[in-house]
């Protein structure tokens, strides 16, 4: 399977070449175009019970589309998010990843999905009780609204709600409500020897709430 992200960073699109017998799972509504020979099926995003829990308590999609090549020749599909922004590939062989609601775009064979407890702080901030955790040996593609920033965090990092996209499952997160805004504190991972290890996070340069606030200021 071949991948190529084009038109980045503002209008990124993911071009995927499926060899015979290969399959990719994509977010519903993300398909821009595909060769006519592609077989499309719709199913649950992981085990049906876990998908239902994430939908009710995490705000994620319950269904996904499976794009399969059942021919004898390579075929191509093109994917993108509904908003302008960048796309990034995450190789799960380097470790599992948790993603925020609406961030996942596609994943390949070998990826397993689990529910990750997010805590009551996340629920009070409107981001749900559970996060989506991807693990395995495949690849996951995430999409941002605006540019995407990959950063290694060692010390406490405070950011506004809506900017965090994905993070290591053991990354400590704390939610703080200040008037009408929510701040998220991201910390490094504490090792058994009490030393702090760096943790990789993915952030987006823009938020939907920021866009809404800007449009309100024009009225």
């Amino acid at each position: 399977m071949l991948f190529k992200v084009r038109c980045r960073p503002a209008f990124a699109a993911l071009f995927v070449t499926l060899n015979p017998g290969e399959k990719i799972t994509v977010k519903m509504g993300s398909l821009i175009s595909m060769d006519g020979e592609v077989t499309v099926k719709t199913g649950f995003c992981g085990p049906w019970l876990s998908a239902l829990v994430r939908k009710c308590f995490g705000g994620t999609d319950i269904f996904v589309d499976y794009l399969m090549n059942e021919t004898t020749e390579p075929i191509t599909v093109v994917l993108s998010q509904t908003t302008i922004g960048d796309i990034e590939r995450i190789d799960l062989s380097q470790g599992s990843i948790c993603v925020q609601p609406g961030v996942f775009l596609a994943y390949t064979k070998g990826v397993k999905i689990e529910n990750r407890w997010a805590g009551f702080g996340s629920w009070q901030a409107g981001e749900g009780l559970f996060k989506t955790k991807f693990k395995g040996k495949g690849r996951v593609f995430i999409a941002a609204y605006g540019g995407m920033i990959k950063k290694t965090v060692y010390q406490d990092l405070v950011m506004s709600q809506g900017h965090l996209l994905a993070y290591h499952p053991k990354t400590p997160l704390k939610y703080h409500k200040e008037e009408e805004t929510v701040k998220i504190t991201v910390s490094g991972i504490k090792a058994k020897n009490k030393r702090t290890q760096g943790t990789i996070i993915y952030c987006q340069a823009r938020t939907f709430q920021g866009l809404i606030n800007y449009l309100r200021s024009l009225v």
Side-chain angles (χ1 to χ4, degrees):
M1 192 179 300
L2 300 178
F3 310 97
K4 181 68 175 180
V5 180
R6 300 178 181 174
C7 310
R8 62 192 321 177
F11 303 96
L14 175 62
F15 288 71
V16 182
T17 300
L18 296 173
N19 292 315
E22 291 183 331
K23 176 180 72 173
I24 188 168
T25 305
V26 305
K27 181 178 180 179
M28 294 187 68
S30 64
L31 184 64
I32 295 177
S33 65
M34 64 181 182
D35 291 342
E37 296 82 4
V38 175
T39 301
V40 182
K41 294 183 180 180
T42 300
F44 288 103
C45 184
W48 71 269
L49 183 57
S50 296
L52 184 61
V53 170
R54 284 195 304 274
K55 176 64 175 179
C56 295
F57 300 103
T60 60
D61 296 331
I62 190 173
F63 294 108
V64 291
D65 286 332
Y66 300 101
L67 308 182
M68 298 170 285
N69 182 359
E70 297 180 340
T71 70
T72 58
E73 299 291 336
I75 53 181
T76 301
V77 298
V78 184
L79 310 170
S80 184
Q81 66 270 50
T82 55
T83 59
I84 60 175
D86 203 357
I87 297 172
E88 185 68 38
R89 185 184 78 179
I90 300 176
D91 191 345
L92 295 181
S93 63
Q94 300 178 4
S96 303
I97 197 80
C98 285
V99 302
Q100 299 287 73
V103 173
F104 142 74
L105 179 67
Y107 63 85
T108 64
K109 181 181 178 181
V111 175
K112 297 181 180 180
I113 302 178
E114 292 183 353
N115 293 340
R116 178 78 178 184
W117 174 253
F120 289 103
S122 173
W123 176 67
Q124 292 174 348
E127 296 188 349
L129 286 171
F130 294 93
K131 303 298 182 187
T132 304
K133 176 183 175 182
F134 293 97
K135 67 176 186 178
K137 298 182 179 180
R139 298 178 178 89
V140 176
F141 295 87
I142 61 174
Y145 171 44
M148 192 178 303
I149 304 167
K150 182 180 179 181
K151 183 177 180 64
T152 302
V153 177
Y154 293 92
Q155 300 177 343
D156 288 354
L157 176 69
V158 182
M159 64 178 64
S160 298
Q161 183 184 19
H163 286 281
L164 183 63
L165 297 176
Y167 54 91
H168 188 279
K170 293 184 178 180
T171 302
L173 300 179
K174 294 181 180 179
Y175 295 82
H176 315 273
K177 190 165 185 179
E178 301 176 358
E179 296 180 353
E180 295 183 357
T181 63
V182 176
K183 302 292 184 181
I184 304 175
T185 301
V186 184
S187 306
I189 299 175
K190 297 293 184 180
K192 292 182 179 180
N193 57 9
K194 296 185 179 180
R195 292 184 178 180
T196 302
Q197 299 177 345
T199 180
I200 295 177
I201 63 172
Y202 294 84
C203 311
Q204 60 185 7
R206 298 290 184 270
T207 67
F208 293 115
Q209 188 59 49
L211 175 61
I212 293 172
N213 294 340
Y214 171 72
L215 295 176
R216 286 176 176 171
S217 67
L218 300 179
V219 178

